[in-house]
């Protein structure tokens, strides 16, 4: 079935299923609208655990660096972590500074990846930056207080990675938050939906010109039929025509009855 054939089956007042129209248009190339490819599943082999276990431990230490750094310095007066009442401030300050140096490397790596890909790949990216910024500010205050009170000569050097990680994380978190809010306001797509949209349009762009022209003609004919019979408005039709191939269903979301909707299967 073509997209035009499906469009002709709709009657005034019907809810337009853009996902079905798009799927019919891409019936010869269903892989364009497929989800991301999943890797092989199954539990790791015994030999793989020998490598995965230390790597997992290292990842936990690095990923939790802001928390471990804060724990190391901020709990003075209790028996929590290294900052016991009789702990040496020069040791706890060095531990906190070392952890935040690791956090700074993680944040800078994230920025490099973001600049290459143009979008954070998971919501945890923004969460990690926020945690680093908040705990980093608290850790900075604790290092300053314990360093000056304890007469630690090197506290001003160890506080540098803490301050840098805090500032860089805070600024980058604000940038990502603004981009996320603007994106949601303009397209009502989640970050995951945006990634799926990018994947679909990229696969559609890989088709040869003749195939793209055939798909585009089918979709345009379907849109024109829906507009002519008053099932969608002229504004909705213009928006649908302006989209890249592969972007129709994911972009035409949250539409009211009579202007179209896209409920993905």
């Amino acid at each position: 079935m073509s997209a035009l054939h499906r469009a002709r089956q709709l009657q005034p007042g019907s809810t337009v299923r853009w996902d079905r129209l798009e799927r019919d248009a891409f019936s010869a190339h269903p892989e364009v609208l497929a989800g991301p490819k999943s890797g092989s599943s199954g539990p790791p082999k015994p030999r793989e655990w020998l490598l995965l276990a230390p790597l997992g431990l290292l990842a936990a230490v690095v990923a939790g660096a802001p928390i471990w750094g804060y724990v190391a310095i901020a709990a003075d007066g209790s028996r929590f972590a290294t900052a016991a009442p009789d702990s040496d401030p020069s040791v706890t300050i060095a531990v906190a500074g070392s952890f935040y140096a690791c956090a700074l490397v993680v944040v800078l790596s994230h920025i490099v990846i973001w600049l290459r890909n143009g979008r954070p790949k998971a919501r945890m990216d923004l969460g990690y930056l926020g945690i680093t910024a908040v705990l980093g500010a608290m850790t900075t205050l604790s290092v300053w207080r314990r360093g000056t009170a304890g007469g630690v000569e090197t506290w001003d050097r160890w506080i540098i990675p803490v301050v840098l990680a805090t500032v860089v994380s805070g600024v980058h978190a604000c940038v990502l938050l603004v981009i996320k809010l603007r994106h949601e306001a303009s397209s009502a797509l989640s970050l995951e939906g945006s990634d799926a949209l990018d994947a679909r349009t990229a696969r559609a762009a890989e088709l040869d010109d003749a195939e793209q022209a055939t798909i585009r003609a089918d979709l345009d004919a379907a849109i024109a039929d829906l507009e002519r019979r008053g099932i969608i408005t002229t504004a909705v039709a213009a928006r649908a025509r302006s989209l890249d191939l592969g972007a129709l269903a994911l972009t035409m979301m949250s539409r009211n009855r009579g202007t179209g909707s896209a409920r993905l299967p």
Side-chain angles (χ1 to χ4, degrees):
M1 180 184 294
S2 66
L4 177 58
H5 185 217
R6 184 176 295 277
R8 287 173 174 170
Q9 294 179 342
L10 299 177
Q11 300 300 320
S14 299
T15 297
V16 178
R17 290 291 301 267
W18 295 105
D19 57 316
R20 292 181 179 176
L21 288 175
E22 189 174 46
R23 189 165 52 198
D24 290 339
F26 281 94
S27 59
H29 303 279
E31 70 280 359
V32 171
L33 306 181
K37 297 180 180 180
S38 58
S40 58
S41 58
K45 299 178 180 179
R47 291 183 179 180
E48 293 177 342
W49 281 111
L50 297 177
L51 179 61
L52 292 177
L55 288 179
L57 180 61
L58 178 61
V61 171
V62 173
I67 299 175
W68 312 139
Y70 176 69
V71 165
I73 190 66
D76 194 21
S78 69
R79 288 290 175 179
F80 188 51
T82 60
D86 55 352
S87 62
D88 185 351
S90 63
V91 175
T92 55
I93 288 175
V95 171
S98 298
F99 274 120
Y100 271 88
C102 293
L104 179 60
V105 172
V106 173
V107 172
L108 292 177
S109 300
H110 177 276
I111 293 176
V112 172
I113 295 173
W114 175 72
L115 290 175
R116 289 187 58 187
N117 298 336
R119 183 178 297 114
K121 292 302 181 183
R123 292 178 180 176
M124 67 175 293
D125 295 339
L126 188 57
Y128 183 86
L129 294 170
I131 291 175
T132 303
V134 172
L135 292 185
M138 299 168 67
T139 303
T140 299
L141 179 60
S142 296
V143 170
W144 171 70
R145 292 179 60 182
R146 296 205 70 204
T148 54
V152 180
E153 296 181 356
T154 58
W155 73 268
D156 55 344
R157 291 196 293 271
W158 283 115
I159 204 174
I160 293 176
V162 184
V163 173
L164 288 177
T166 302
V167 173
V168 174
S169 298
V171 172
H172 191 41
C174 290
V175 171
L176 293 186
L177 183 60
V178 170
I179 293 176
K180 179 176 181 292
L181 293 176
R182 285 183 177 179
H183 179 78
E184 290 179 348
S186 62
S187 66
L189 285 176
S190 65
L191 293 176
E192 291 81 357
S194 299
D195 292 337
L197 186 147
D198 290 343
R200 288 186 176 189
T201 54
R203 287 193 290 261
E206 293 175 355
L207 301 177
D208 62 45
D209 294 342
E211 292 171 322
Q212 292 187 45
T214 300
I215 295 170
R216 174 68 72 183
D218 187 22
L219 287 173
D220 286 347
I223 294 168
D225 179 78
L226 295 173
E227 180 185 12
R228 179 179 57 80
R229 293 188 292 124
I231 298 176
I232 61 175
T233 65
T234 301
V236 172
R239 176 177 173 82
R241 290 191 187 96
S242 67
L243 300 174
D244 295 332
L245 287 181
L248 184 63
L250 287 175
T251 306
M252 301 296 290
M253 299 177 71
S254 302
R255 299 293 169 186
N256 295 327
R257 182 180 176 86
T259 59
S261 68
R263 296 189 298 268
L264 297 180

